[in-house]
């Protein structure tokens, strides 16, 4: 993707360095840049890439210059791409995002060995990037390693997150690792297993209706000096500007594992942060001359919501939609964000919707191959299967296809809540009959 140069207005193949513009007064004083290997130079508005800010502090309310009453635009992080070590992508694979430190914001907080998740090939040749193998069993560990590091480097007194699932668990874990208190604001109907998971890290769990989450988060930020690692904006999702940078490493790993750029990547999509991070990672590979293109990205949303699908169809930067009943609570989002629009548009991909039944079928298919994932996590494979079965849609060209699965089946609402299915009694005739049924 070509971006305008902030001085000439002409396109440039490499994102320009930050002009270090002074942040808005309400964002607080700038902090000194922590010592690290990071080549991050500043923040840039996605609403207008010519608008730059210094790297500190993170602009958690979206871009103050380009956002409007109708839509809030997020920011991304700039880097000195011309200074990336020549051997960065030739180094051995390793757990921990510090492996990719030059292309991430400063990692001021210690990690938990996140990343380097496996790429598993299904019998039909489709690859599964299994993010459930991260420390708290979801892709959110990558985001929170970066966002909690930003809170630590900024001198925040703690972190706060509004989440009933993966995001809350990951934020609590990485805050504990960084020595920061954490508040998780969740729904009273959050999965009991996830609530126990969050409390185990020492986080304060506050429950309330969804409409109370943002006002409560904002008050904690303003009165207690905590840094949010989830979104505060209402007109569109912006989130923490540093967080999605952690998702870029998924693209780096896919590229190195395959030895080439895949033809397409199917991504479970809620607010679009993961989708954008995967696109940006592949885009950076082209900027660095390692790849000649980025893959097509397919955003896979629950049919009960579909904010990104609506935005793409109507040509808007973001959309708000009603949310119907769905068990895919991890990606059933009433508001979208501009990051997802950028990822779909620049990759020449598409936004797809899938039903709970299609996600359940994909989840069962993965379980049959030894991978137990959350219903939301199976949306990528469900999107691929649905797209291939639709005669009106063109098939993928030749080349590898990757589906990202985001989290463990441990995170589903139904896990461990109903009575377990009946087991086979320890009577030989019954056991033998059951075994003959398995092998028959």
């Amino acid at each position: 993707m070509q971006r305008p140069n902030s001085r000439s207005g002409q396109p440039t193949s490499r994102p320009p360095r930050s002009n270090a513009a002074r942040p808005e007064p309400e964002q607080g004083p700038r902090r000194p840049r922590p010592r690290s290997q990071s080549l991050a130079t500043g923040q840039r508005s996605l609403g207008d890439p010519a608008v730059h800010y210094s790297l500190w502090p993170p602009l958690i309310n979206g871009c103050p210059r380009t956002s409007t009453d109708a839509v809030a635009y997020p920011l991304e992080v700039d880097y000195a791409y011309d200074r990336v070590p020549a051997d960065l992508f030739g180094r051995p694979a390793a757990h921990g995002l510090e492996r990719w430190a030059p292309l991430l914001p400063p990692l001021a907080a210690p990690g938990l060995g996140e990343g380097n998740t496996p790429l598993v090939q299904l019998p039909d040749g489709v690859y599964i990037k299994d993010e459930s193998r991260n420390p708290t069993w979801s892709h959110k560990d990558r985001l929170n390693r970066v966002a909690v590091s930003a809170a630590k480097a900024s001198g925040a007194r703690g972190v706060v997150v509004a989440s009933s699932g993966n995001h809350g668990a990951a934020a609590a874990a990485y805050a504990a690792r960084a020595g920061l208190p954490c508040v998780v604001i969740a729904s009273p109907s959050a999965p009991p297993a996830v609530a126990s998971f969050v409390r185990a890290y020492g986080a304060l769990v506050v429950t309330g209706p969804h409409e109370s989450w943002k006002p409560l988060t904002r008050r904690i930020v303003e009165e207690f000096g905590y840094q949010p690692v989830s979104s505060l904006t209402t007109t569109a999702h912006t989130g923490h500007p540093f967080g999605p940078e952690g998702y870029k490493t998924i693209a780096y790993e896919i590229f190195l594992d395959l030895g080439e750029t895949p033809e397409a990547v199917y991504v479970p999509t809620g607010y679009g942060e993961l989708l954008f991070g995967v696109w940006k990672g592949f885009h950076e590979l082209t900027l660095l001359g390692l790849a000649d293109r980025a893959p097509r990205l397919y955003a896979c949303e629950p049919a009960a919501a579909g904010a990104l699908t609506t935005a793409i169809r109507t040509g808007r930067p973001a959309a708000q939609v009603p949310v119907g009943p769905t068990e895919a609570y991890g990606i059933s989002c009433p508001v979208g964000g501009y990051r997802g629009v950028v990822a779909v548009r620049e990759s020449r991909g598409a936004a797809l919707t899938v039903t709970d039944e299609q996600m359940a079928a994909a989840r069962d298919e993965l379980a049959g191959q030894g991978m137990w994932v959350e219903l939301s996590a199976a949306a990528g494979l469900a999107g691929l299967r649905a797209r291939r079965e639709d005669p009106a849609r063109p098939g993928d060209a030749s080349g590898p296809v990757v589906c990202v699965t985001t989290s463990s089946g441990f995170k589903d609402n139904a896990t461990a809540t109903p009575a377990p299915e009946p087991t086979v009694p320890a009577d030989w005739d019954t056991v033998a009959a059951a075994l003959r049924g398995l092998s028959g």
Side-chain angles (χ1 to χ4, degrees):
M1 169 178 141
Q2 293 188 323
R3 298 186 181 275
N5 183 284
S6 59
R7 294 182 179 176
S8 66
Q10 297 303 310
T12 177
S13 60
R14 177 177 289 125
R17 297 192 190 187
S18 167
N19 289 331
R22 186 179 301 278
E24 298 298 306
E26 67 269 21
Q27 298 296 334
R30 286 185 287 177
R31 298 277 176 176
R33 179 171 172 170
R35 296 179 61 189
S36 78
Q37 302 175 59
S38 173
L39 296 176
T41 59
Q43 300 171 82
R44 177 176 54 197
S45 172
L46 282 182
D48 180 353
V51 175
H52 298 267
Y53 301 91
S54 58
L55 188 61
W56 301 103
L59 299 181
I60 58 177
N61 292 306
C63 178
R65 297 185 195 173
T66 59
S67 295
T68 67
D69 291 341
V71 62
Y73 286 101
L75 297 106
E76 64 172 333
V77 178
D78 274 336
Y79 299 87
Y81 289 100
D82 56 338
R83 293 172 51 202
V84 173
D87 67 339
L88 180 61
F89 286 84
R91 297 173 188 174
H95 293 287
L97 291 195
E98 53 272 9
R99 162 71 174 78
W100 305 108
L103 287 173
L104 294 173
L107 297 175
L112 291 165
E114 61 287 329
N116 198 27
T117 55
L119 196 63
V120 181
Q121 191 172 20
L122 298 182
D124 66 349
V126 171
Y127 289 90
I128 302 298
K129 181 63 170 171
D130 187 2
E131 286 293 285
S132 74
R133 314 291 184 95
N134 279 298
T136 73
W137 312 333
S138 92
H139 64 304
K140 290 291 185 181
D141 289 346
R142 297 184 193 253
L143 180 150
N144 279 283
R145 172 73 193 281
V146 175
V148 172
S149 285
K152 187 79 171 178
S154 301
R157 294 179 180 175
V159 298
V160 55
V161 58
S163 167
S164 291
N166 294 316
H167 200 3
Y174 282 83
R177 178 72 169 146
L180 293 173
C182 179
V183 178
V184 178
I185 304 171
S187 166
S189 61
V194 175
S196 298
F197 197 16
V198 170
R199 289 189 177 93
Y201 295 120
L204 174 66
V205 180
V206 178
T207 57
H210 192 272
E211 58 269 20
S212 71
W213 288 9
K214 282 187 173 68
L216 184 56
T217 300
R218 189 175 293 280
R219 192 157 186 180
I220 292 170
V221 171
E222 293 172 350
E223 296 191 19
F224 286 86
Y226 281 35
Q227 189 166 123
V229 294
S230 55
S231 190
L232 289 178
T233 52
T234 56
T235 56
H237 184 277
T238 57
H240 196 292
F242 288 16
E245 300 296 311
Y247 291 143
K248 299 187 308 185
T249 59
I250 295 175
Y252 302 161
E253 293 170 13
I254 291 172
F255 180 76
L256 290 183
D257 283 348
L258 290 177
E260 62 179 316
T261 301
E263 178 65 31
V265 181
Y266 289 74
V267 183
T269 300
Y271 294 121
E273 291 178 301
L274 173 61
L275 185 75
F276 176 79
V278 172
W279 170 78
K280 186 174 180 181
F282 281 112
H283 177 61
E284 287 179 333
L285 290 168
T286 67
L287 292 179
L288 295 169
L290 298 169
D292 60 357
R293 60 178 177 84
R296 295 181 187 271
L297 291 187
Y298 292 93
C300 303
E301 301 179 286
L308 178 57
T309 303
T310 300
I312 295 291
R313 186 181 68 249
T314 59
R316 285 182 279 170
Q320 298 189 32
V321 296
V323 175
T326 176
E327 289 299 314
Y329 74 96
I331 53 174
S332 58
C333 302
V335 59
Y338 187 55
R339 286 191 182 96
V341 172
V342 171
V344 169
R345 182 188 67 209
E346 298 301 330
S347 72
R348 296 171 295 110
L352 315 172
T353 58
V354 290
T355 65
D356 279 24
E357 291 74 20
Q358 289 170 320
M359 286 185 278
R363 181 186 59 189
D364 291 346
E365 179 184 347
L366 290 166
Q369 294 297 317
M371 290 171 280
W372 182 45
V373 304
E374 180 184 350
L375 186 68
S376 298
L381 181 60
L384 169 66
R385 296 302 186 217
R387 186 170 179 272
R388 287 187 169 178
E389 291 171 3
D390 185 349
R393 286 179 171 147
D396 295 310
S398 59
V401 173
V402 177
C403 296
V404 179
T405 56
T406 50
S407 59
S408 165
F410 168 80
K411 311 288 185 71
D412 264 328
N413 274 309
T415 299
T417 49
E421 294 182 9
T423 58
V424 175
D427 168 75
W428 173 247
D429 290 340
T430 305
V431 171
L435 288 171
R436 283 191 289 272
L438 283 177
S439 58

